[in-house]
Amino acid sequence: MYHQEPKVQQNDLTVLRTSSLTGVIERELEHLILTGELKPGERLNEIQLSTHFGTSRGPLREATRSLQAKGLVESIRNRGVFVRSVSPKEALEIYDVRAAIFGLAGRLLADLVNDQMLTRLNAFLDQMDEIAASKNFDDYYPVNLAFHDYLVTSTGNGTLVREYKGFVNKLHLARARGLVQAGGLSVSNREHREMVDALASGNRERAQEAFFRHVERSKIRFRSTLDGETDV
Amino acid sequence: MYHQEPKVQQNDLTVLRTSSLTGVIERELEHLILTGELKPGERLNEIQLSTHFGTSRGPLREATRSLQAKGLVESIRNRGVFVRSVSPKEALEIYDVRAAIFGLAGRLLADLVNDQMLTRLNAFLDQMDEIAASKNFDDYYPVNLAFHDYLVTSTGNGTLVREYKGFVNKLHLARARGLVQAGGLSVSNREHREMVDALASGNRERAQEAFFRHVERSKIRFRSTLDGETDV
DNA sequence: CCATTGTTTATTGCCTACAATAGCAATCGA
DNA sequence: TCGATTGCTATTGTAGGCAATAAACAATGG
């Protein structure tokens, strides 16, 4: 399970000054869930976790309520709180919504793009080409993430950023999530170039469509890993 | 403020069997917020509210944590929980994201549309035309709502529905929200016809764009009511 | 041998009580 | 008179305890 003893330092007042115990626990739990230390379907035992964090059950329960609202766990009355398990069907739904939001990012960026941004984006593309050529999968993933992060953040639309990240998080809980991107590293980067080209053109609709399609294609790659599934 | 005494019936087991006290309180609070009985900026006094609901502070705190995650309230440590006040800037952000999601609804519906659906949609349009002609604003709003609800729900994408409704809710908390739709009833309905026509054509991109633009236009109408605002 | 019914136990739901904090008013010194 | 300081009070943050529930098991009857 999880190993260290992070017993919240009551002394470390600097942290608790701004964020409550609940907030600290919530972030910690979210981390445990997203890193897979708490697996989909697993139950969150209140007593066990609260002693783990060195607090009482109150703040822990508040933290899990918050995570429930964010869709990371689900609660069944008198049974407990469980890490959510996102079905393939729901994962496909999420891909679509994420595509729409990412498409909006493209549309907004088409009006904001400037030389500095394009330079930065091209640097990303070159870096990813390089990594793709060396077939070093582990290195590709974080850069790819940073690339998307940079794009989304650059829109200046905080609501969009929060939503996008929320969906990326939820997709981590999808069952049957083989290493989706596995094969198509250079394929994916060709799509990235299309996106940047669309931005450079300054054409809103074209950029929106390019961004939208990029996510839709990764949805298709995801679906192709499902073939055997029944409860889609 | 709020007036009745809904003291949760401990006897009414049917309700508590499935949903917890927290859940009941959460729905109740959400209702109070969305109907404006609890106004943006107003503080939610724990003791006052928990005695109002006839419970202790625990479940109430859990409910407010959930509402916090949903973005309906914000919490300041040692100060309390306050109904969120959505700034014009954030409202504009939300309009964009909502437009993207609604655009997705159009795109999805273009592939699902059939005669039955078109008949239903045209009935909506006729009804709204009629109301618009009689300039009966109060009647227009609920039908307009039902129309959009029908569209979004018909996509079959539950994630999309939840997100869309979440944003509609948040926009209720926007400051400076004059009766946005006020003037353009028939204008709005012309856009509705464009949407339905686009669906009937079966063209994905066209439908997406029509749906997207509809929300963008209501964003513009919203912005035009702001002119004097400084902290946009 | 299986199904049904009691019993036990781990765990959650909720509540009460105490500690800590922030805002305010009264007080004090300049 | 004015500002800073100090206590007071309302309110939130957290802890721990009791009651209620559900799942697992044992006992009983067919």
Side-chain angles (χ1 to χ4, degrees):
Chain A
M1 200 180 169
Y2 32 84
H3 304 92
Q4 324 89 319
E5 273 293 323
K7 293 249 175 193
V8 172
Q9 290 283 348
Q10 293 288 1
N11 309 341
D12 194 347
L13 296 173
T14 350
V15 177
L16 283 183
R17 190 75 60 187
T18 45
S19 57
S20 64
L21 247 188
T22 304
V24 176
I25 294 175
E26 182 184 342
R27 274 190 291 279
E28 202 69 39
L29 281 178
E30 187 171 332
H31 182 73
L32 288 172
I33 291 173
L34 294 179
T35 59
E37 295 185 69
L38 289 167
K39 294 184 177 45
E42 191 169 337
R43 184 167 121 260
L44 276 62
N45 185 313
E46 286 184 6
I47 302 173
Q48 188 181 338
L49 282 172
S50 56
T51 56
H52 172 73
F53 289 123
T55 71
S56 75
R57 285 167 50 214
L60 187 106
R61 284 176 62 87
E62 292 181 24
T64 55
R65 285 291 178 198
S66 188
L67 292 176
Q68 183 183 10
K70 288 183 181 170
L72 292 183
V73 303
E74 73 185 324
S75 163
I76 303 175
R77 191 185 151 82
N78 288 325
R79 293 269 322 270
V81 174
F82 303 82
V83 178
R84 275 210 50 198
S85 165
V86 171
S87 72
K89 172 185 162 63
E90 190 183 353
L92 293 173
E93 287 187 3
I94 293 175
Y95 267 109
D96 278 347
V97 179
R98 179 178 151 191
I101 289 177
F102 197 60
L104 172 65
R107 188 180 189 111
L108 294 175
L109 287 173
D111 286 340
L112 297 172
V113 72
N114 55 31
D115 288 348
Q116 190 199 336
M117 193 183 289
L118 285 174
T119 307
R120 182 86 187 83
L121 289 174
N122 278 306
F124 269 122
L125 294 180
D126 293 344
Q127 193 183 356
M128 284 189 281
D129 264 345
E130 203 174 321
I131 298 174
S134 72
K135 303 207 187 304
N136 198 338
F137 307 113
D138 293 349
D139 288 352
Y140 190 81
Y141 185 72
V143 181
N144 183 53
L145 202 75
F147 174 68
H148 288 81
D149 223 76
Y150 175 76
L151 287 171
V152 167
T153 310
S154 299
T155 62
N157 185 324
T159 304
L160 186 157
V161 174
R162 268 191 303 280
E163 289 295 315
Y164 182 80
K165 292 190 175 174
F167 287 125
V168 170
N169 282 346
K170 268 204 213 169
L171 281 178
H172 279 291
L173 301 180
R175 295 201 300 269
R177 176 179 56 106
L179 205 18
V180 180
Q181 322 275 14
L185 258 61
S186 46
V187 171
S188 164
N189 214 28
R190 199 175 61 226
E191 295 172 22
H192 291 162
R193 284 203 186 278
E194 288 173 15
M195 285 161 46
V196 175
D197 287 348
L199 284 184
S201 80
N203 183 323
R204 273 193 275 255
E205 282 82 8
R206 184 181 153 198
Q208 180 169 21
E209 192 67 15
F211 277 57
F212 187 94
R213 286 233 171 98
H214 177 55
V215 179
E216 283 295 306
R217 292 205 193 91
S218 69
K219 168 183 153 189
I220 290 173
R221 289 195 279 273
F222 169 79
R223 183 159 48 197
S224 69
T225 69
L226 293 180
D227 37 34
E229 293 281 340
T230 55
D231 57 345
V232 174
Chain B
M1 199 177 169
Y2 31 85
H3 304 93
Q4 324 89 319
E5 275 292 322
K7 294 249 177 196
V8 172
Q9 290 282 346
Q10 294 288 359
N11 309 342
D12 194 346
L13 296 174
T14 350
V15 177
L16 283 185
R17 189 76 61 187
T18 47
S19 59
S20 63
L21 245 188
T22 303
V24 176
I25 294 176
E26 183 183 342
R27 274 190 290 279
E28 203 68 38
L29 281 179
E30 188 170 333
H31 182 74
L32 288 173
I33 291 173
L34 294 179
T35 58
E37 295 185 69
L38 288 168
K39 293 185 178 41
E42 191 169 337
R43 183 166 124 262
L44 277 61
N45 185 313
E46 287 185 4
I47 302 175
Q48 188 182 337
L49 283 171
S50 56
T51 55
H52 172 71
F53 289 122
T55 72
S56 76
R57 286 167 48 215
L60 187 107
R61 284 177 62 87
E62 292 182 23
T64 55
R65 286 290 180 199
S66 189
L67 293 176
Q68 184 182 9
K70 288 183 182 170
L72 292 183
V73 303
E74 75 187 321
S75 162
I76 302 175
R77 192 186 149 82
N78 288 323
R79 294 273 320 272
V81 173
F82 304 81
V83 179
R84 274 210 51 197
S85 164
V86 171
S87 71
K89 171 184 162 64
E90 189 182 354
L92 294 173
E93 286 187 3
I94 293 174
Y95 267 109
D96 278 348
V97 179
R98 179 178 152 192
I101 290 176
F102 197 60
L104 173 64
R107 188 180 188 111
L108 294 175
L109 286 173
D111 285 340
L112 298 172
V113 72
N114 55 31
D115 288 350
Q116 190 199 335
M117 194 183 291
L118 285 174
T119 308
R120 183 86 186 84
L121 289 174
N122 278 306
F124 269 121
L125 294 179
D126 293 344
Q127 193 184 355
M128 285 189 280
D129 264 345
E130 202 173 320
I131 297 174
S134 73
K135 304 208 187 301
N136 198 338
F137 307 112
D138 294 348
D139 287 353
Y140 190 81
Y141 185 72
V143 181
N144 183 51
L145 203 74
F147 174 69
H148 288 80
D149 223 76
Y150 175 76
L151 287 171
V152 167
T153 309
S154 299
T155 63
N157 184 325
T159 304
L160 186 156
V161 174
R162 266 190 304 280
E163 289 296 316
Y164 182 81
K165 291 190 176 173
F167 287 124
V168 171
N169 282 346
K170 270 205 213 168
L171 281 178
H172 279 290
L173 301 180
R175 296 201 298 270
R177 178 178 55 105
L179 206 17
V180 181
Q181 321 276 13
L185 256 63
S186 46
V187 172
S188 164
N189 214 28
R190 197 175 61 226
E191 295 171 20
H192 291 162
R193 284 203 186 277
E194 287 172 15
M195 287 162 46
V196 174
D197 287 349
L199 285 184
S201 79
N203 182 323
R204 271 193 275 255
E205 282 81 8
R206 184 182 154 197
Q208 180 169 20
E209 192 66 16
F211 276 56
F212 187 94
R213 286 234 171 96
H214 177 55
V215 178
E216 283 294 308
R217 291 207 193 88
S218 70
K219 167 183 153 188
I220 291 173
R221 288 195 279 274
F222 169 77
R223 183 159 47 197
S224 70
T225 68
L226 294 180
D227 38 33
E229 292 283 337
T230 54
D231 58 345
V232 175

